[in-house]
Amino acid sequence: MGAQQTAPQDDAMPDQLTKLAYQTMQQGKSLLGLAHKEVSTKLMGVLAPEGTPKTVPAPPELMGRLKASMETLQERDWQEAEQGLYPTSLLFAAPWLDWASRYPLIWLDMPSTWNRRKERNVRDLPDDVDQGDFPDYYLQNFHHQTDGYLSDHSAALYDLQVEILFNGTADPMRRRVIAPLLQGLKAFADRPAGQIRVLDVATGTGRTLRQLRGALPKAQMVGLDLSSAYLRQANRWLSELPGELPQLVQGNGEAMPFADGSYQAITCVFLFHELPGEARQNVLNDCFRLLEPGGVLVLADSVQLADSPQFSTVMENFRRVFHEPYYRDYISDPIDDRLKQAGFEAVAGESHFMTRIWTARKPSN
């Protein structure tokens, strides 16, 4: 069985009823996300006005552009499932009951978040963290997140918080890495699917690995992350898949504990906007080292000013509302040039709603 072979189609071809169910689910998630943000913002204005961020007014046409872009993303998501790049069931794969049980914890966590924002306290981390184990840029409360990325409490809330932030489009945006990944792996079509190794850098709670597994049911999947707490959560999520034995490694993406040329594909989702420029380059350099010649790297992160100027207000307000110390630099950083500097070729990019996807190949020998 060649590496180009993807997940088998669902027993029944996707039909209009399934598509309607998908659209209805996405609309429901969008409405819930918008409602949550509206209520929480008003509540913060009443209970913690000192911590309310000063945002830039949105132009009248912005909401229409966002809505149209989101609908395009969801249509692309459906089409790629219908084409068989991943099973339709993946569109509905989310831990709904678990998220429902954790949702009250998000509200209970808000007062401490507001307090950190008011006090501009971005180094409020657990006392038991050995700070020497992490780079300095990592030791922060990104998003004003309680404990930063360094506790089980933080890891338990993260996926649901991201779903709310993106109005239910986090997984559809993550799945945009699948098509270029499968295209890149055609370079190894002569190999058995079980010999293909895919690394997900900064895997966090494993949501990207969950999407990749749907498209590559036989490939060897490895996830790497700096946070042991987030890896524990990833292990819990991924172990729920029948027959899955997660391969998860703690490590820094700037210097990963793997052999040269040991992977045929690498993905990296929503990491670069939380890195200083030098660290971004170091991660790309190490990804180049780890890839076998001909291997493919697929990155996903926030859109940037150059490719999505119509969303500049959204980018600015994201930076103001959330603690994202490297975001302003990131949205102007020429990632294409950084990829070429690392040695990659065939660099290409495309944008989907609020996510930019880059694909690059390590030259063959």
Side-chain angles (χ1 to χ4, degrees):
M1 184 177 295
Q4 79 278 13
Q5 192 160 343
T6 63
Q9 287 273 16
D10 296 344
D11 293 338
M13 288 295 289
D15 55 23
Q16 289 304 307
L17 185 60
T18 308
K19 183 176 183 179
L20 179 61
Y22 171 66
Q23 292 172 333
T24 302
M25 179 191 71
Q26 288 299 127
Q27 290 168 1
K29 289 198 295 184
S30 178
L31 290 173
L32 286 172
L34 289 169
H36 173 92
K37 283 180 281 193
E38 182 176 359
V39 172
S40 61
T41 299
K42 288 181 177 179
L43 192 61
M44 179 172 56
V46 172
L47 300 180
E50 306 93 336
T52 303
K54 293 179 173 60
T55 56
V56 177
E61 67 274 12
L62 178 59
M63 291 307 296
R65 289 174 175 171
L66 286 169
K67 183 175 184 292
S69 184
M70 184 185 298
E71 289 173 351
T72 300
L73 165 70
Q74 293 168 0
E75 180 63 25
R76 178 74 170 267
D77 196 28
W78 170 261
Q79 289 176 357
E80 291 187 356
E82 192 173 32
Q83 293 164 10
L85 299 187
Y86 40 87
T88 309
S89 57
L90 199 63
L91 303 178
F92 302 91
W96 302 111
L97 292 177
D98 192 276
W99 281 354
S101 69
R102 299 184 192 205
Y103 182 63
L105 299 178
I106 291 181
W107 287 100
L108 292 173
D109 196 52
M110 281 184 185
S112 62
T113 300
W114 297 339
N115 190 58
R116 275 190 297 274
R117 182 182 283 123
K118 179 182 68 174
E119 296 181 353
R120 300 181 184 275
N121 182 2
V122 298
R123 298 274 180 171
D124 182 20
L125 301 174
D127 293 334
D128 60 353
V129 171
D130 186 346
Q131 299 196 3
D133 291 341
F134 304 95
D136 183 68
Y137 62 76
Y138 190 76
L139 296 169
Q140 304 188 52
N141 300 94
F142 290 97
H143 315 160
H144 299 287
Q145 182 98 352
T146 296
D147 300 331
Y149 292 135
L150 296 169
S151 75
D152 292 317
H153 172 80
S154 171
L157 299 184
Y158 178 79
D159 283 328
L160 181 53
Q161 289 170 324
V162 172
E163 281 296 308
I164 292 170
L165 171 64
F166 289 122
N167 297 334
T169 62
D171 279 347
M173 287 192 292
R174 289 187 184 102
R175 282 192 286 271
R176 303 288 60 78
V177 305
I178 292 177
L181 180 70
L182 296 177
Q183 181 66 31
L185 283 174
K186 288 181 179 180
F188 306 99
D190 58 337
R191 298 189 192 178
Q195 292 182 12
I196 297 298
R197 302 190 77 219
V198 179
L199 171 66
D200 186 42
V201 178
T203 197
T205 62
R207 288 301 296 171
T208 299
L209 280 179
R210 173 68 181 86
Q211 310 307 311
L212 297 179
R213 176 53 79 205
L216 292 165
K218 295 188 177 182
Q220 300 178 48
M221 298 281 182
V222 181
L224 175 134
D225 201 90
L226 258 177
S227 172
S228 59
Y230 275 63
L231 290 173
R232 283 192 292 272
Q233 181 62 66
N235 186 67
R236 285 190 285 270
W237 285 143
L238 296 170
S239 295
E240 293 176 357
L241 296 174
E244 188 70 16
L245 184 63
Q247 299 181 55
L248 302 171
V249 178
Q250 186 174 15
N252 187 337
E254 295 184 73
M256 293 177 271
F258 306 112
D260 295 2
S262 53
Y263 290 93
Q264 287 72 51
I266 296 177
T267 57
C268 182
V269 177
F270 300 152
L271 169 66
F272 274 36
H273 72 280
E274 293 188 342
L275 297 178
E278 182 180 1
R280 286 179 216 135
Q281 191 64 56
N282 290 341
V283 171
L284 292 177
N285 293 345
D286 214 42
C287 287
F288 186 86
R289 176 184 68 83
L290 295 182
L291 280 172
E292 178 180 338
V296 63
L297 171 66
V298 186
L299 303 175
D301 215 298
S302 166
V303 291
Q304 297 183 301
L305 292 173
D307 58 80
S308 301
Q310 72 275 23
F311 296 144
S312 60
T313 302
V314 179
M315 296 180 222
E316 176 62 21
N317 285 339
F318 176 72
R319 182 187 68 81
R320 293 184 179 211
V321 173
F322 299 95
H323 176 61
E324 289 287 0
Y326 309 110
Y327 189 73
R328 174 182 279 178
D329 175 73
Y330 162 80
I331 59 177
S332 299
D333 193 13
I335 301 299
D336 299 56
D337 293 345
R338 289 193 179 278
L339 285 162
K340 294 171 185 175
Q341 181 181 333
F344 288 99
E345 64 180 17
V347 176
E350 59 181 21
S351 299
H352 304 276
F353 186 40
M354 299 309 297
T355 294
R356 181 75 173 169
I357 306 292
W358 286 272
T359 308
R361 184 177 68 246
K362 183 172 181 175
S364 300
N365 289 337

